[in-house]
Structures are given as C-alpha cells and as structure tokens.
C-alpha cells in the first residue's frame, strides 16, 4: 500500500478544494424539500461548481472505460435504502424521505470530498435517529485520528457505536486516501479492531465516510452499475469528511457551519 504524505503546498490546495465541497452542501440545503427532483438538485450543484466556484464536479463521467459508461451526473443522491452512488433522476422528493448528497470537487488538480444527510420535510423519529447516530460515528472516527493511531482504531470506534445503537456497518464500501487522485491508498474501513492496520502519519489525507444501515449490513449494486442499495431495503445513512493527519491530531478540510465538531483537534 503506497500512501502519499502531502506537502504544505498540497495541503493548502486540499483545504481550498475541501472548503468548496462544503460550500456546495451549504448552498443546496435550502433547495432540498418535497416536490423537488434530484435532477434539479444536480443541475443546481453542477452550475454552482462550474460557474461560481470555477471548479470541476468529480463524479461526472467518473469511472468511464471501454464498454462502461462513467457516472452520468455531477453529484450522488442516495435516497432512503440507497447506500451510496445514487444517480439523480426526475422523481420528486416526498415528505419523510431521507437522502445523502455526496459532493466531490476538483480545484487546481486537488479533490475535496464530503457528504451529509438531508431530511425532506418531517421524517420518522427512527430515520432521524439513524442519521444522528451515523454522524456520531463519523465524529468518533475523526476524534481518534492522530499520528501513531491505527486505521483499525477508526474502524472499531465506528463499529462499536453503530452496533451499540442496534445498527449495522456496510462492509463493501469504505473511506479512502485522497489528494490529486480521487481514490488512493489507504482504504479506511468503518469496522475493525483497534491496534491493527496501518499507522497514521502526519501529512496523510483521507476520507472517513461511514455507511450505517438500519437493518442488515449487506448491499447489492443495481443494474445501472452504480446504485448500491441495502439488500433488505431498510434505510441507510452516511456522513463524510475529508481530513488531514496533523502533527498532533487532525484537521477537517470539509467542515460546514452546521457541524458540531471542531475543525482541528488542537
């Protein structure tokens, strides 16, 4: 596993990309309401990233290869039992829906990647609880990040909190290293055992993005080749930040005004 430690110049570019990704989530929040389509949300985000931020929406055409079309939209909208990589479409949102919007922007060759849950109108209490516990899982994972910690420390604290609350952790998808490449080493699992896995070092940058299910952890990918859903069709939730391992802890590049965790551990 080859992990790139970022230089101060690269870190500054990632700060900017992370801030832009967070800004998109803040911009789109007021538009998430019953009756709007995820296609409309996609268009708003695309235009904001391209025209206002002068950046590139990383998901658009991502993964294109001979015989395989790339991802067709500029954001991922994962609704209710969709775990991740949901494709925006023309179906209107309805009262009680819960949805993850995942934003990744490229600015000056560097990536910022972040996602959050949105509640469409009033949602059931149990849906709200799943969303809240998943965000707590993310925060608990971030709070163990520091030089000398291990990737298994992140996985264990997330898994324990999810399972203590009666939920399960998705195994097939995980966090990842990020920088001038969208997905690079290391893989950041959201389950595991403390004291195992790669040791964290100052200058590492990666995402933590737990996907937590209301029911069983198993997922399957639909025929479009992208949309992952829970096998039992129960709800899934996800929150994601991009962060840096600093000399004494962490710095979150994608912090938003609605976050309740500090930007840095200092």
């Amino acid at each position: 596993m080859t992990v790139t430690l970022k230089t101060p110049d690269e870190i500054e570019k990632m700060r900017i990309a992370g801030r832009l990704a967070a800004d998109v989530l803040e911009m789109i929040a007021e538009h998430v309401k019953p009756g709007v389509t995820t296609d409309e949300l996609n268009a708003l985000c695309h235009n904001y990233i391209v025209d206002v931020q002068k950046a590139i929406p990383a998901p658009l055409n991502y993964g294109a290869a001979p015989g395989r079309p790339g991802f067709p939209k500029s954001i991922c909208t994962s609704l209710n039992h969709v775990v991740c990589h949901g494709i925006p479409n023309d179906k209107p949102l309805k009262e009680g829906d819960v949805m993850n919007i995942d934003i990744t922007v490229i600015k000056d060759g560097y990536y910022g990647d972040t996602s959050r849950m949105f509640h469409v109108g009033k949602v059931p209490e149990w849906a709200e609880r799943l969303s809240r516990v998943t965000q707590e899982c993310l925060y608990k994972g971030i709070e163990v990040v520091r030089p000398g910690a291990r990737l298994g420390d992140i996985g264990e604290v997330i898994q324990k909190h999810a399972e203590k609350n009666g939920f399960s952790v998705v195994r097939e998808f995980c966090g990842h290293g990020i920088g001038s490449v969208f997905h690079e080493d290391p893989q950041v699992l959201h389950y595991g055992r403390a004291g195992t896995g790669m040791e964290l070092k100052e200058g590492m940058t990666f995402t933590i993005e737990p996907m937590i299910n209301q029911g069983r952890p198993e997922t399957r990918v639909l025929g479009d080749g992208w949309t992952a859903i829970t096998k039992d069709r129960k709800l899934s939730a996800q929150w994601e930040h991009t962060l840096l391992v600093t000399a004494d802890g962490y710095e979150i590049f994608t912090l938003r005004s609605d976050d309740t965790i500090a930007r840095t551990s200092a």
Side-chain angles (χ1 to χ4, degrees), residues 20 73 96 98 109 133 163 171 176 188 195 226 242 245:
L20 293 178
K73 302 287 180 169
V98 292
V133 168
E163 292 176 354
R171 303 298 204 266
H176 53 89
V188 182
W226 290 105
T242 297
V245 182

PDB file of all heavy atoms in Angstrom, residues 20 73 96 98 109 133 163 171 176 188 195 226 242 245:
ATOM      1  N   LEU A  20     -14.599  24.295  -0.811  1.00  0.00           N
ATOM      2  CA  LEU A  20     -15.549  24.422  -1.920  1.00  0.00           C
ATOM      3  C   LEU A  20     -16.603  23.318  -1.863  1.00  0.00           C
ATOM      4  O   LEU A  20     -17.793  23.568  -2.053  1.00  0.00           O
ATOM      5  CB  LEU A  20     -14.807  24.380  -3.265  1.00  0.00           C
ATOM      6  CG  LEU A  20     -13.885  25.570  -3.563  1.00  0.00           C
ATOM      7  CD1 LEU A  20     -13.187  25.372  -4.894  1.00  0.00           C
ATOM      8  CD2 LEU A  20     -14.670  26.887  -3.569  1.00  0.00           C
ATOM      9  N   LYS A  73     -23.823  11.808 -13.653  1.00  0.00           N
ATOM     10  CA  LYS A  73     -24.234  13.076 -13.056  1.00  0.00           C
ATOM     11  C   LYS A  73     -23.088  13.709 -12.273  1.00  0.00           C
ATOM     12  O   LYS A  73     -22.027  13.112 -12.103  1.00  0.00           O
ATOM     13  CB  LYS A  73     -25.445  12.858 -12.130  1.00  0.00           C
ATOM     14  CG  LYS A  73     -26.656  12.245 -12.815  1.00  0.00           C
ATOM     15  CD  LYS A  73     -27.372  13.225 -13.735  1.00  0.00           C
ATOM     16  CE  LYS A  73     -28.578  12.550 -14.398  1.00  0.00           C
ATOM     17  NZ  LYS A  73     -29.444  13.503 -15.093  1.00  0.00           N
ATOM     18  N   GLY A  96     -40.819  13.055   4.285  1.00  0.00           N
ATOM     19  CA  GLY A  96     -40.375  11.876   5.018  1.00  0.00           C
ATOM     20  C   GLY A  96     -39.180  11.161   4.416  1.00  0.00           C
ATOM     21  O   GLY A  96     -38.623  10.251   5.041  1.00  0.00           O
ATOM     22  N   VAL A  98     -35.356  10.518   3.404  1.00  0.00           N
ATOM     23  CA  VAL A  98     -34.031  10.902   3.891  1.00  0.00           C
ATOM     24  C   VAL A  98     -33.044  10.644   2.764  1.00  0.00           C
ATOM     25  O   VAL A  98     -33.180   9.681   2.017  1.00  0.00           O
ATOM     26  CB  VAL A  98     -33.619  10.129   5.171  1.00  0.00           C
ATOM     27  CG1 VAL A  98     -34.477  10.551   6.341  1.00  0.00           C
ATOM     28  CG2 VAL A  98     -33.664   8.634   4.967  1.00  0.00           C
ATOM     29  N   GLY A 109      -6.468  20.763  -9.536  1.00  0.00           N
ATOM     30  CA  GLY A 109      -5.942  19.405  -9.566  1.00  0.00           C
ATOM     31  C   GLY A 109      -6.094  18.622  -8.280  1.00  0.00           C
ATOM     32  O   GLY A 109      -5.651  17.468  -8.210  1.00  0.00           O
ATOM     33  N   VAL A 133     -27.039   8.992  14.669  1.00  0.00           N
ATOM     34  CA  VAL A 133     -26.035   8.033  15.131  1.00  0.00           C
ATOM     35  C   VAL A 133     -24.917   7.893  14.090  1.00  0.00           C
ATOM     36  O   VAL A 133     -23.742   7.766  14.431  1.00  0.00           O
ATOM     37  CB  VAL A 133     -26.688   6.669  15.450  1.00  0.00           C
ATOM     38  CG1 VAL A 133     -25.628   5.587  15.656  1.00  0.00           C
ATOM     39  CG2 VAL A 133     -27.574   6.787  16.685  1.00  0.00           C
ATOM     40  N   GLU A 163     -23.214  -0.496  16.302  1.00  0.00           N
ATOM     41  CA  GLU A 163     -23.837  -1.737  16.769  1.00  0.00           C
ATOM     42  C   GLU A 163     -24.463  -1.581  18.151  1.00  0.00           C
ATOM     43  O   GLU A 163     -25.504  -2.183  18.444  1.00  0.00           O
ATOM     44  CB  GLU A 163     -22.813  -2.870  16.731  1.00  0.00           C
ATOM     45  CG  GLU A 163     -22.435  -3.219  15.285  1.00  0.00           C
ATOM     46  CD  GLU A 163     -21.344  -4.268  15.162  1.00  0.00           C
ATOM     47  OE1 GLU A 163     -20.766  -4.673  16.202  1.00  0.00           O
ATOM     48  OE2 GLU A 163     -21.059  -4.686  14.015  1.00  0.00           O
ATOM     49  N   ARG A 171     -19.968  -3.143   4.738  1.00  0.00           N
ATOM     50  CA  ARG A 171     -18.601  -3.643   4.564  1.00  0.00           C
ATOM     51  C   ARG A 171     -18.030  -3.372   3.167  1.00  0.00           C
ATOM     52  O   ARG A 171     -16.830  -3.255   2.997  1.00  0.00           O
ATOM     53  CB  ARG A 171     -18.542  -5.165   4.797  1.00  0.00           C
ATOM     54  CG  ARG A 171     -19.048  -5.643   6.161  1.00  0.00           C
ATOM     55  CD  ARG A 171     -18.212  -5.072   7.291  1.00  0.00           C
ATOM     56  NE  ARG A 171     -18.239  -5.856   8.504  1.00  0.00           N
ATOM     57  CZ  ARG A 171     -19.058  -5.673   9.529  1.00  0.00           C
ATOM     58  NH1 ARG A 171     -19.978  -4.734   9.463  1.00  0.00           N
ATOM     59  NH2 ARG A 171     -18.979  -6.410  10.618  1.00  0.00           N
ATOM     60  N   HIS A 176     -11.274   6.469   1.984  1.00  0.00           N
ATOM     61  CA  HIS A 176     -10.136   6.300   1.084  1.00  0.00           C
ATOM     62  C   HIS A 176      -9.187   7.479   1.166  1.00  0.00           C
ATOM     63  O   HIS A 176      -9.590   8.598   1.490  1.00  0.00           O
ATOM     64  CB  HIS A 176     -10.635   6.167  -0.365  1.00  0.00           C
ATOM     65  CG  HIS A 176     -11.562   7.294  -0.776  1.00  0.00           C
ATOM     66  ND1 HIS A 176     -11.106   8.471  -1.339  1.00  0.00           N
ATOM     67  CD2 HIS A 176     -12.905   7.423  -0.669  1.00  0.00           C
ATOM     68  CE1 HIS A 176     -12.136   9.264  -1.567  1.00  0.00           C
ATOM     69  NE2 HIS A 176     -13.247   8.666  -1.169  1.00  0.00           N
ATOM     70  N   VAL A 188     -10.000   3.071   4.179  1.00  0.00           N
ATOM     71  CA  VAL A 188     -10.376   3.359   5.569  1.00  0.00           C
ATOM     72  C   VAL A 188     -11.672   2.613   5.874  1.00  0.00           C
ATOM     73  O   VAL A 188     -12.770   3.065   5.523  1.00  0.00           O
ATOM     74  CB  VAL A 188     -10.537   4.874   5.794  1.00  0.00           C
ATOM     75  CG1 VAL A 188     -10.874   5.168   7.255  1.00  0.00           C
ATOM     76  CG2 VAL A 188      -9.260   5.622   5.381  1.00  0.00           C
ATOM     77  N   GLY A 195      -5.794  -1.037  17.243  1.00  0.00           N
ATOM     78  CA  GLY A 195      -4.419  -1.512  17.321  1.00  0.00           C
ATOM     79  C   GLY A 195      -3.959  -2.268  16.087  1.00  0.00           C
ATOM     80  O   GLY A 195      -2.811  -2.703  16.017  1.00  0.00           O
ATOM     81  N   TRP A 226     -23.975   1.330 -10.682  1.00  0.00           N
ATOM     82  CA  TRP A 226     -23.548   2.329  -9.692  1.00  0.00           C
ATOM     83  C   TRP A 226     -24.337   2.263  -8.388  1.00  0.00           C
ATOM     84  O   TRP A 226     -23.754   2.188  -7.317  1.00  0.00           O
ATOM     85  CB  TRP A 226     -23.683   3.745 -10.283  1.00  0.00           C
ATOM     86  CG  TRP A 226     -22.699   4.031 -11.342  1.00  0.00           C
ATOM     87  CD1 TRP A 226     -22.930   4.074 -12.697  1.00  0.00           C
ATOM     88  CD2 TRP A 226     -21.291   4.277 -11.188  1.00  0.00           C
ATOM     89  NE1 TRP A 226     -21.769   4.334 -13.378  1.00  0.00           N
ATOM     90  CE2 TRP A 226     -20.743   4.468 -12.481  1.00  0.00           C
ATOM     91  CE3 TRP A 226     -20.444   4.359 -10.082  1.00  0.00           C
ATOM     92  CZ2 TRP A 226     -19.402   4.737 -12.688  1.00  0.00           C
ATOM     93  CZ3 TRP A 226     -19.100   4.626 -10.289  1.00  0.00           C
ATOM     94  CH2 TRP A 226     -18.596   4.809 -11.578  1.00  0.00           C
ATOM     95  N   THR A 242     -13.424  14.959   4.534  1.00  0.00           N
ATOM     96  CA  THR A 242     -12.021  14.775   4.131  1.00  0.00           C
ATOM     97  C   THR A 242     -11.153  15.417   5.203  1.00  0.00           C
ATOM     98  O   THR A 242     -11.415  16.551   5.615  1.00  0.00           O
ATOM     99  CB  THR A 242     -11.739  15.465   2.773  1.00  0.00           C
ATOM    100  OG1 THR A 242     -12.543  14.853   1.754  1.00  0.00           O
ATOM    101  CG2 THR A 242     -10.278  15.339   2.394  1.00  0.00           C
ATOM    102  N   VAL A 245      -4.088  14.284   8.681  1.00  0.00           N
ATOM    103  CA  VAL A 245      -3.420  13.951   9.936  1.00  0.00           C
ATOM    104  C   VAL A 245      -2.373  15.033  10.200  1.00  0.00           C
ATOM    105  O   VAL A 245      -1.451  15.229   9.397  1.00  0.00           O
ATOM    106  CB  VAL A 245      -2.739  12.562   9.876  1.00  0.00           C
ATOM    107  CG1 VAL A 245      -2.100  12.225  11.230  1.00  0.00           C
ATOM    108  CG2 VAL A 245      -3.735  11.479   9.470  1.00  0.00           C
TER     109      VAL A 245
END
